[in-house]
Amino acid sequence: VHETVVAATMERWPIVARHEKVLISIFASILEDGVRKGEFEIVDVEGTSAVMIAAMVKFHNPIMVAQYHGESLIDQANALADFMLKAIRKR
């Protein structure tokens, strides 16, 4: 399975691009909900979603997770989540 994921990622199979679009769409939906509720202040929800998904690639890309696994990865993911929430939280 790992070899298939590596090939799909390295060769940019269409399914990889679709998966990224789905992740961005899911994230955009969550962010839109936060904007609607007055919790987040975001001008470009779609763009912000794309940037956040790109920033989190180390934590959801199977190749990178295998390379960077361990306790420090959890700490880094928590730090990134805190940073992103501070960036979009309504002031």
Side-chain angles (χ1 to χ4, degrees), residues 30-48:
I30 293 166
L31 296 180
E32 286 171 351
D33 187 52
V35 169
R36 238 185 342 272
K37 291 179 178 178
E39 297 170 1
F40 300 149
E41 188 172 359
I42 304 169
V43 174
D44 177 7
V45 170
E46 189 76 18
T48 300

Side-chain angles (χ1 to χ4, degrees), residues 1-13 16 61-63 66:
V1 171
H2 181 74
E3 289 175 11
T4 303
V5 170
V6 170
T9 303
M10 300 301 277
E11 297 172 16
R12 296 293 296 162
W13 292 0
V16 174
N61 178 300
I63 297 167

Side-chain angles (χ1 to χ4, degrees), residues 44-88:
D44 177 7
V45 170
E46 189 76 18
T48 300
S49 298
V51 168
M52 287 180 155
I53 292 298
M56 294 186 297
V57 71
K58 183 177 185 177
F59 310 107
H60 66 84
N61 178 300
I63 297 167
M64 295 186 86
V65 169
Q67 184 176 356
Y68 297 106
H69 70 284
E71 263 323 291
S72 68
L73 189 65
I74 294 167
D75 294 339
Q76 291 172 24
N78 287 332
L80 180 60
D82 289 343
F83 177 80
M84 290 189 303
L85 284 170
K86 286 177 187 172
I88 62 172

